[in-house]
Every structure is written in structure tokens, then in C-alpha cells.
Amino acid sequence: MTKQLTVAIVGATGAVGSKMKEQLIKRKFPIKHIKFLASARSAGKEIEFDDKSYIIEEATPEAFEGVDVALFSAGGSVSAKLAPEAAKRGAVVIDNTSHFRMHPEVPLVVPEVNRGDLAKHNGIIANPNCSTIQMVVALQPIREKFGLSKVLVSTYQAVSGSGVSAIEELRTQSEQWDAGKDVEANILPAKSDKKHYPIARNVLPQIDVFTENGFTYEEMKMINETKKIMHLPELHVAATCVRVPVVSGHSESVYIEVENDATIQDIFNVLKDAPGVVLQDDISQQIYPMPIYVEGEDPVYVGRIRQDLDNKKGFHLWIVSDNLLKGAALNSIQIAEAMLEDNLL
Ligand code: A2P
């Protein structure tokens, strides 16, 4: 019989936390007991799960007593403070924030790519950045067959990646535009940065704040995390991350260079059978992936595959996935499922 587990969701009221609830039910995760943790603001309020009502508790170190799996998605500072407390009390933490991702002792896992890394955990597993997850799911099968030397990506990222408040801001700004009112911007491109710009009827070439080298933190996450997950420290990766006025579903234009000769048909064949990937590419019928159609769907969709006109080892791909699902909640639950199957929980 499958082991039944005590699960905690930290950030249960948030955009990703809500999807974690849905995924646990949809995937029939074996739950003995579940607790919902959030800030003191939400403590005492009711939350629905599987047709039952639960009381939200404040996330404190003691709240993790008896917890087997703690799914964190309440921001980096909450993870920094509470993930070690949860691990100390015997929970396996699956952390959706960037806080522990590049820590050498913390596995950073996309099960389709590096499931084997889970066995090396010390109580904390990191769930990668949303844009990185969908990209590596599509690139790993190509890399396995043809090698991979270069990845240049531009993203078109949805506002839900910035949480419930950013979704609300897009809605409000759209209404303000339609009503001919002044458009107010308080959150994007990055809450903690000095200036804020409208996202409605706009695109923002900044996600997160800038680092010293001119790339943003989001771009550096894609660069560093891709190398770590794929175990390719020498891979040439560059990213430009852009926020677009889409609620859910990140899109990416990706240029890759492979090491061995490959034809476009080879790339099609590899992606057709790849785990977690749906090939959606028929230009004669104008078939290609788009965010409004992937919202609520599990897979990573790939289309618009072209061989580069000047470099036979260069290929262009268009990769789209629901950033709150494979990019966040679904990948976290798949990590927990893989750990259960591999007797790591
Ligand atoms: P709360 O609703 O009580 O503020 P999102 O990414 O969609 O904005 O969601 C953030 C999530 O993180 C929410 O569930 C939020 O809870 C939670 N959160 C924010 N600050 C804290 C904190 N200090 N301790 C625990 N949870 C927090």
C-alpha cells in the first residue's frame, strides 16, 4: 500500500499555493493529513480543499512538527527562515523560491531531466524557475541524442509568475485603459525596484531587478539553473526575460546549437516521443502553441521548429507551458511523487 503522508503548503493562499492544492487532488497524492500555512494576516481564515474546509495557520517553525512534505511558495525570505526549520523537524522541503536553488548541496530538479539528483538531498529540494523548467524539459531529449552547446532564449512571461497581486494589477490597468482613466502601476516590473510601469498594453523588458552584469536576476536564474539541472557547466546560455500582458502561460523563443549533425525531422522525432512534451507544429494548418490554449494543461508544448538558415547545427523552437503548473506547482508535486516512488520519503 502507498504510504500516506502529512503535507504542508506554505503560501497556501497564493497563486502557486492554490495550484498546489488543485494538483494534490487531481493527482491523488496520498495524503494522511494536510495543513495550510500563510502569513499572520491569513491565520484563522478558512480555506477549501477537496470539498472540506480547513483553518489557515500562521507559518511558524512549530507548525512543521509531524510534517513529511512541506511545499513552500511564500517568497524567498519565508523559505530562508522556515525551510531549515521544517527540515530540522524531519520534513522534506520542496521549495518553489529561488533562495536555495544554486546552493551546491540542494538538488535542483526537473524529474524528466535529473530525477537522480533527488537522492542527494539533505532535507531541501529546490524547484527551478518557471521559465527554466519548461525550456529544459524540451531541450533534454534533444541534448541526449545530439548534444547541446548553445542556448539563446527570449521569454514572453505571464503576469501570474509575479503572484496574485500582479494578476490583479493587469486586470485593474485594463479597466483603467478602457474607462479612459490614468493607469496606475505599483508592482511590475519588480516590486522592490524604484520605478513601476504599466503592463496592460505594454511589454516590460525587465523581470526582477538588475544584477551588476546588466542581466536581471530572472535572466541569471535561467542561465545558472539550466547549467545546474542539465549538469552542463560549460553550456553557453544567454537569456532576455520579458513580461507580457498574459495572465498565465510563459512562451519562449529559443535558439539552440547541437553538437552532432541533426535534421529537422530528427528534432521532430525526438520531441514527438519525449516525456512531458507535446509537439504542436504544423504550419500548413497554422498549428503552434499559444498561452491561452495551454492554461490549465500539464505538458510543455513545442512548435515553430526551424533549422537555422546559416548554421546546420542551429535550431529555433517556440516553447509554451502553464507557468503555474509545470513551471511551479505540478513540478513540485512530481518531485514529491518521484521521491515516494524512489523510497526517499
Ligand atoms: P498571505 O495571503 O497570508 O499574505 P503570491 O505569490 O500569489 O503573492 O502569494 C504569496 C503567498 O505567500 C501567500 O499565500 C501569502 O500569504 C504567503 N506569505 C507572504 N508572506 C508570508 C509570511 N511572512 N509567512 C508566511 N506566508 C507568507
Side-chain angles (χ1 to χ4, degrees), residues 10-17 37-43 45 56 58-59 73-75 77-78 81-82 160-166:
V10 188
T13 54
V16 174
L37 309 177
S39 75
R41 296 180 291 278
S42 303
K45 291 186 186 156
I56 299 171
E58 183 179 353
S73 192
S77 57
V78 175
K81 198 167 115 208
L82 291 178
S160 57
S162 256
V164 170
S165 51

Side-chain angles (χ1 to χ4, degrees), residues 37-69:
L37 309 177
S39 75
R41 296 180 291 278
S42 303
K45 291 186 186 156
E46 289 193 5
I47 191 165
E48 294 292 314
F49 178 76
D50 210 6
D51 296 329
K52 284 200 265 315
S53 191
Y54 292 77
I55 301 292
I56 299 171
E57 293 173 46
E58 183 179 353
T60 60
E62 297 71 37
F64 296 97
E65 294 294 350
V67 169
D68 299 308
V69 186

